[in-house]
Amino acid sequence: MSLQLHNTLGNKKEEFIPIKANHAGIYGCGPTVYDYAHIGNLRTYVFEDILVKTLEALGYEVTHVMNITDVGHLTDDADEGEDKMLKSAEERGKSVLEIAEFYTKAFFNDTERLNIKRPGIVCKATEHIADMINLIKKIEANGHTYMSGGNLYYDISTFPKYGELANINLEDLKAGARIEIDKNKRNPYDFVLWFTKSKFENHALTWDSPWGRGYPGWHIECSAMSIKYLGEQFDIHKGGIDHIRVHHTNEIAQSEGATGKKWVNYWLHNEFLIMNKGKMSKSAGTFIVLEDVIKKGFSPLDYRFLLLGGHYRSQLTFSWEAMETAKNGRKSLNTKISKLLEGLSQEKIEELKNLTNTLTAEKTKTILKDSPAKKYFIDFMEAMEDDLSTPRALSELQGLVKDKTVKPEQALTAIASMDYILGLKLIEEAAEILSGLQNLSDNLIDEAEICKLIEKRAAAKFEKNYKQADEIRDNLKALGIILEDQNGKTTWKRI
Ligand code: AMP
Ligand code: ZN
């Protein structure tokens, strides 16, 4: 089977044919670093990670570029509202650059905890202003711009393909225009390439440009930086589904308006993570960040596991119950894998851990020869090649760990290789279970069981069986439960 991806451009699944053999150039819109990423944003980056790792497992060399938006993104994607960075800096009494630095670090801290590989090229908008100005000059030279009210606009009527990605035509756009229209625009869907007339007094970050001192519109950074690092034509551009209609549509108009060439061959968009109470918002208390997930006793990998259980093109509803199910599911999977590790030397276990980072799909198939594990692995890869179907891939993994006819070492080789894509640290976590380490942090033992053991210990003490009483206390300690005796009563707490 060959890799099939659903292309938003054309709205169908297509075989992935790269521009350069065995290489994939990918650009993904990165975060606007004005606040912590919420877990919805993080769904987008977990999906991107799965895409990159699937390509790598298939033997592609991947150049993965991600931007960091630290200027110009307004609270509305279509030139309305306030500047997100500026607003956040004012609210927090910090400079824009301080805000950007803090939340960029926080973002990569989150992605690391989710076992997301850092893109090879991470580029900040504020460090690429000259590239943006040069690109805007080309767009201008090709007749796609006009100055109005002090800002430079893109005239979408000069780009007949405008709206192709979102499958909308210009007439529909006019009919659907919102009431509040920037009076400087000829068409409501024209957009700003360069602002000189800031809506905000003393805009913190401004640069000199041929159009006057000012700052770039939000969309231009993605065109300028992707072209700089991936060339005028590249393979895959991705982002969340909300970006199709405005941001990515405008990116295409800019890039193709500047170069006159088809810019990107495959557009991939993931659906949203939604809350059962509606949109993720601070005021409704549904703006959940990774730290909240951790504070509730979940591992970031439980969240990753939850995400893999849904296909990227389907909406996923978040709830704490769903997190609980994911946690138990991951625990049960890891426990089964730990059983496969029983009896293996420490050296062999270390070797398996390293395999995850070194195996490609082809190598794995060769190693597995005619083992029954190979069939699971092939089906796993076919699921991934079929538009990255992680739910089907996971069920192949589940089938493999349950199959008693597969020799543990062969099953483990397949599992290690599958985990390159899944990123669940399967061998590592299973090895921890085997060594008993994980019991410390998990609620393997529930309250009722603890109380029973406390009673049993009290009975042992009463019978002067101190050895047994101490054993019970030590066993509980190994599970992260500390007993405290005071005034003849025993209380307990988790470490
Ligand atoms: P932003 O930092 O606002 O530019 O958003 C970063 C990424 O998160 C973008 O690709 C968005 O499409 C994506 N995104 C925003 N909200 C959600 C959500 N609820 N679920 C999934 N992705 C989202
Ligand atoms: Zn973008």
Side-chain angles (χ1 to χ4, degrees):
M1 186 166 175
S2 58
L3 177 61
Q4 307 280 318
L5 298 172
H6 183 274
N7 194 348
T8 309
L9 189 65
N11 194 24
K12 60 174 191 300
K13 233 192 263 182
E14 287 175 9
E15 183 181 351
F16 175 66
I17 302 170
I19 294 172
K20 204 170 111 198
N22 304 321
H23 175 264
I26 302 182
Y27 183 85
C29 294
T32 306
V33 284
Y34 67 107
D35 202 336
Y36 291 105
H38 58 58
I39 53 171
N41 301 132
L42 294 171
R43 179 182 192 194
T44 289
Y45 300 108
V46 168
F47 158 58
E48 193 157 320
D49 190 51
I50 297 288
L51 168 68
V52 167
K53 288 175 175 167
T54 301
L55 283 158
E56 286 177 341
L58 290 171
Y60 290 92
E61 184 205 330
V62 176
T63 308
H64 182 197
V65 181
M66 180 192 278
N67 66 309
I68 300 287
T69 299
D70 52 2
V71 66
H73 192 172
L74 306 186
T75 47
D76 179 300
D77 289 350
D79 298 340
E80 302 295 334
E82 297 171 73
D83 182 308
K84 288 186 180 184
M85 294 300 300
L86 209 62
K87 188 167 175 247
S88 170
E90 272 164 13
E91 281 168 6
R92 292 168 168 89
K94 302 268 183 214
S95 75
V96 169
L97 288 179
E98 280 169 337
I99 289 290
E101 199 185 321
F102 180 82
Y103 289 113
T104 303
K105 258 200 202 136
F107 174 74
F108 285 116
N109 188 25
D110 284 351
T111 55
E112 201 179 304
R113 289 188 288 188
L114 284 164
N115 202 15
I116 293 173
K117 185 173 162 184
R118 200 183 169 108
I121 298 171
V122 174
C123 40
K124 289 186 194 168
T126 49
E127 289 173 2
H128 293 78
I129 302 294
D131 299 292
M132 297 186 216
I133 291 175
N134 284 335
L135 196 71
I136 299 174
K137 279 193 202 159
K138 288 188 190 159
I139 300 170
E140 187 177 43
N142 289 343
H144 295 296
T145 65
Y146 59 92
M147 277 302 281
S148 180
N151 298 328
L152 185 74
Y153 288 89
Y154 191 104
D155 179 353
I156 64 162
S157 70
T158 63
F159 187 69
K161 272 168 70 186
Y162 190 85
E164 190 189 24
L165 181 73
N167 203 17
I168 39 177
N169 65 42
L170 289 183
E171 289 313 308
D172 290 346
L173 283 182
K174 276 183 205 147
R178 276 162 293 181
I179 310 206
E180 199 194 321
I181 297 171
D182 178 343
K183 288 182 207 63
N184 297 318
K185 292 184 183 181
R186 292 182 189 161
N187 181 310
Y189 285 85
D190 288 350
F191 56 93
V192 178
L193 293 167
W194 190 266
F195 288 96
T196 67
K197 287 284 174 291
S198 170
K199 287 178 216 158
F200 328 107
E201 294 294 304
N202 52 45
H203 195 279
L205 296 172
T206 55
W207 293 265
D208 286 326
S209 85
W211 313 280
R213 198 167 172 85
Y215 61 98
W218 172 44
H219 316 293
I220 195 71
E221 65 176 85
C222 291
S223 293
M225 293 191 276
S226 62
I227 288 175
K228 173 165 183 160
Y229 294 108
L230 293 167
E232 290 184 351
Q233 294 180 295
F234 61 91
D235 300 302
I236 304 176
H237 191 313
K238 62 152 305 295
I241 196 154
D242 56 325
H243 283 342
I244 300 173
R245 204 178 163 99
V246 178
H247 184 49
H248 291 164
T249 290
N250 291 351
E251 283 185 28
I252 293 174
Q254 294 169 155
S255 307
E256 300 193 2
T259 67
K261 295 179 200 160
K262 183 176 181 187
W263 179 42
V264 170
N265 287 337
Y266 301 87
W267 285 86
L268 268 65
H269 291 99
N270 60 282
E271 254 294 355
F272 262 34
L273 178 83
I274 54 167
M275 309 302 295
N276 44 15
K277 282 191 225 140
K279 212 174 137 47
M280 222 164 286
S281 86
K282 279 213 166 113
S283 51
T286 51
F287 185 99
I288 299 171
V289 298
L290 194 62
E291 204 57 43
D292 299 325
V293 171
I294 295 166
K295 275 192 202 136
K296 289 239 184 196
F298 297 103
S299 154
L301 293 181
D302 293 329
Y303 181 56
R304 188 170 171 118
F305 188 72
L306 172 80
L307 294 179
L308 297 184
H311 189 267
Y312 78 91
R313 295 190 62 237
S314 302
Q315 276 193 351
L316 192 72
T317 306
F318 179 86
S319 68
W320 292 111
E321 294 75 46
M323 274 304 298
E324 205 58 59
T325 309
K327 177 177 177 170
N328 293 334
R330 194 174 74 88
K331 177 87 202 166
S332 143
L333 175 64
N334 287 339
T335 306
K336 283 182 201 134
I337 298 172
S338 76
K339 301 264 187 292
L340 298 172
L341 289 173
E342 273 171 10
L344 296 191
S345 67
Q346 202 48 42
E347 212 183 337
K348 182 72 200 162
I349 293 177
E350 287 309 313
E351 197 185 293
L352 281 164
K353 282 188 203 165
N354 293 334
L355 269 190
T356 296
N357 295 321
T358 51
L359 278 184
T360 60
E362 270 323 294
K363 263 202 249 169
T364 310
K365 286 179 202 163
T366 311
I367 297 173
L368 291 176
K369 279 194 214 125
D370 43 14
S371 156
K374 189 170 172 181
K375 168 91 178 81
Y376 290 101
F377 184 73
I378 288 174
D379 290 349
F380 172 94
M381 284 312 299
E382 277 198 8
M384 292 312 299
E385 287 177 67
D386 183 10
D387 198 26
L388 312 170
S389 180
T390 49
R392 263 174 53 207
L394 273 183
S395 83
E396 291 303 328
L397 167 65
Q398 299 279 13
L400 171 63
V401 294
K402 271 193 271 177
D403 190 337
K404 298 273 185 290
T405 66
V406 184
K407 287 204 183 97
E409 273 198 51
Q410 288 166 337
L412 288 162
T413 302
I415 292 166
S417 187
M418 290 172 178
D419 198 38
Y420 182 73
I421 293 175
L422 299 174
L424 293 167
K425 302 193 176 174
L426 295 171
I427 305 289
E428 216 171 292
E429 299 261 313
E432 277 188 16
I433 291 180
L434 193 66
S435 64
L437 269 177
Q438 249 196 18
N439 297 343
L440 288 173
S441 57
D442 282 349
N443 303 336
L444 261 186
I445 179 157
D446 64 18
E447 221 171 309
E449 213 171 324
I450 297 169
C451 292
K452 239 194 263 164
L453 286 167
I454 290 176
E455 275 169 33
K456 201 169 163 196
R457 175 169 169 262
K461 272 178 110 178
F462 185 72
E463 288 160 10
K464 297 201 166 36
N465 186 350
Y466 298 112
K467 189 167 169 277
Q468 190 189 19
D470 286 349
E471 245 172 43
I472 293 172
R473 192 195 54 213
D474 293 346
N475 286 346
L476 279 168
K477 195 170 170 201
L479 294 170
I481 312 293
I482 300 289
L483 300 186
E484 275 164 12
D485 299 317
Q486 216 171 23
N487 306 330
K489 268 187 80 181
T490 304
T491 55
W492 63 273
K493 63 175 187 211
R494 290 191 199 272
I495 300 173

